[in-house]
Amino acid sequence: MRRWLIGIVALLLVAAAAFFIFAPGIVERGTNKIDGKPLLTVSDHAKTLHKSLVIVDLHSDSLLWSRNFLDRADRGHMDLPRLEEGNVALQILSSTTKSPKGQNYDANSGDTDNITSLVVAQLQPVRTWNSLLERSLWHAEKLHRAAAASAGKLVAVATPAELDALLAARKTKTPPPVGAMMSVEGLHNLEGRIDNLGKLYAAGIRMAGITHFFDNEFAGSMHGLKKGGLTPLGREVVARMEAKGMIVDIAHCSHACVADIFKVARRPVVSSHGGVQATCKVNRNLTDDEIRGVAATGGVIGIGYWDAAVCDTSPASVAKAMKHVRDLVGIQHVALGSDYDGATTVRFDTSKLVQVTEALIEAGFTDDEIRAAMGGNAIRVLRAGIAPMAPAASAMPAK
């Protein structure tokens, strides 16, 4: 009887160990996919131009997953070796801390959470199991640990001086270092305490979306139940973010929330990842009026690569959305926002970003326009936006 009991316990321990070892990878393989459809034939012009670009991607969720960011993975869309191959200069890595069960684009409550089971299965620190704030702080810690272990190949960026140092180093070092800056996807990770914004800032987080897939204390989500505008607390958090040097991201905000942000913003805002309704009529994508609103702040719109952003996964569809923004408000407001590793299916991973360069050439963009869209515009907005705001300076004209 005793041997039988020992055998059962041993079997359960082996099963538990196998679960924690293999389950996170299995989940990610089924979540972050590459569809395998045909890619564009890349011209010599595109290859040469791409090597000369300063490329910035405004949104990836790679830190959510349990793998070493410094090593090439056999799953997902992004890691340091693939960023190097794609010639990415700066990657914005977002902290995703909560998503509702049955997540959809139309209506979700904040009563359930899919991320907690992933946090436990990945054996993250216990402090992250029941705290959304600690999940974001853990993601920031993961980035800084990776940067420290990378022998200078991965550089954490949180100030204009660090951004300028990165860009200078990329001109002289081989291989050129890749920069990474932190953002968060939804300020529910403040856990209802606006003073926790200071903890995010101290951890190096320099961009934040106000909402994710559900309404919170600060605003309504495009995918929430009420879809309201900024609350009084939301207006306060926007003001505090801008004063500190944290860029306001309107991705996932309800239309009412976006309109309210435009009314109070004094600095450029971004839409870090998504599409435009003119080329892909999905509720989370920006209307023409919202595109004009981002442009009026001096901000940029990051175009994603998954089907709900551009109604396809082809590089041509990405270029089509970027072209619409260019034609409507000017090339200076176009940017990249892949949403890699964000539970998305895409045509190409970050190592093959030359696909976007080729698609833009085929869509008639000039080389200078491509330089701006692939990263120049984002660099401009990031450099200005992460600088703390002087008390009597940089206010936008009254609306």
Side-chain angles (χ1 to χ4, degrees), residues 98-103 108-116 214:
K98 180 176 177 179
S99 68
K101 293 181 179 178
Q103 179 177 296
N108 304 268
S109 77
D111 298 335
T112 60
D113 178 30
N114 282 323
I115 303 294
T116 297
F214 50 91

Side-chain angles (χ1 to χ4, degrees), residues 10 103 139 146 157 168 202 208 224 300 341 358 367:
Q103 179 177 296
H139 290 151
V157 173
V300 290
D341 291 329
E358 177 63 38
D367 287 4

Side-chain angles (χ1 to χ4, degrees), residues 18-270:
F19 172 79
F20 288 115
I21 291 170
F22 297 112
I26 292 170
V27 170
E28 188 184 3
R29 282 189 181 89
T31 303
N32 298 316
K33 300 179 181 179
I34 296 171
D35 63 21
K37 294 180 181 179
L39 297 171
L40 296 175
T41 299
V42 178
S43 64
D44 289 341
H45 177 201
K47 292 175 184 177
T48 301
L49 176 60
H50 191 82
K51 288 178 182 178
S52 72
L53 299 176
V54 176
I55 299 173
V56 180
D57 176 8
L58 292 175
H59 190 89
S60 162
D61 292 300
S62 303
L63 292 175
L64 180 63
W65 306 98
S66 181
R67 47 184 166 90
N68 188 337
F69 194 69
L70 301 182
D71 296 335
R72 181 182 296 278
D74 61 357
R75 62 182 189 264
H77 305 141
M78 179 180 292
D79 44 51
L80 180 60
R82 286 184 280 182
L83 285 166
E84 290 175 331
E85 288 180 16
N87 192 36
V88 176
L90 180 66
Q91 179 63 52
I92 309 297
L93 294 168
S94 184
S95 171
T96 301
T97 58
K98 180 176 177 179
S99 68
K101 293 181 179 178
Q103 179 177 296
N104 63 84
Y105 275 16
D106 297 318
N108 304 268
S109 77
D111 298 335
T112 60
D113 178 30
N114 282 323
I115 303 294
T116 297
S117 57
L118 183 66
V119 164
V120 175
Q122 293 183 157
L123 294 178
Q124 288 182 197
V126 173
R127 70 179 188 271
T128 69
W129 290 16
N130 294 303
S131 170
L132 305 184
L133 175 65
E134 289 295 341
R135 290 177 193 178
S136 284
L137 298 180
W138 168 242
H139 290 151
E141 185 179 330
K142 282 178 68 175
L143 169 59
H144 286 94
R145 285 183 177 184
S150 72
K153 292 182 178 181
L154 180 68
V155 179
V157 173
T159 68
E162 289 171 347
L163 177 57
D164 290 340
L166 167 72
L167 298 178
R170 285 186 60 82
K171 295 177 180 178
T172 60
K173 293 186 178 181
T174 304
V178 176
M181 185 182 292
M182 286 291 302
S183 69
V184 296
E185 195 152 32
L187 286 177
H188 45 271
N189 66 350
L190 295 182
E191 298 180 337
R193 296 184 56 196
I194 199 167
D195 287 344
N196 280 334
L197 194 67
K199 294 182 179 179
L200 298 183
Y201 185 85
I205 291 165
R206 292 297 182 268
M207 182 187 295
I210 310 301
T211 64
H212 194 206
F213 268 87
F214 50 91
D215 305 328
N216 61 31
E217 306 96 323
F218 305 103
S221 165
M222 176 52 64
H223 326 289
L225 298 180
K226 294 184 178 179
K227 300 178 174 62
L230 285 177
T231 66
L233 200 60
R235 288 191 288 274
E236 182 180 350
V237 83
V238 167
R240 287 202 190 189
M241 286 175 61
E242 290 190 324
K244 282 181 173 294
M246 294 178 71
I247 296 167
V248 177
D249 181 6
I250 64 171
H252 293 290
C253 265
S254 69
H255 293 303
C257 166
V258 171
D260 284 348
I261 287 173
F262 291 156
K263 291 174 185 175
V264 300
R266 295 184 290 166
R267 307 189 81 172
V269 304
V270 307

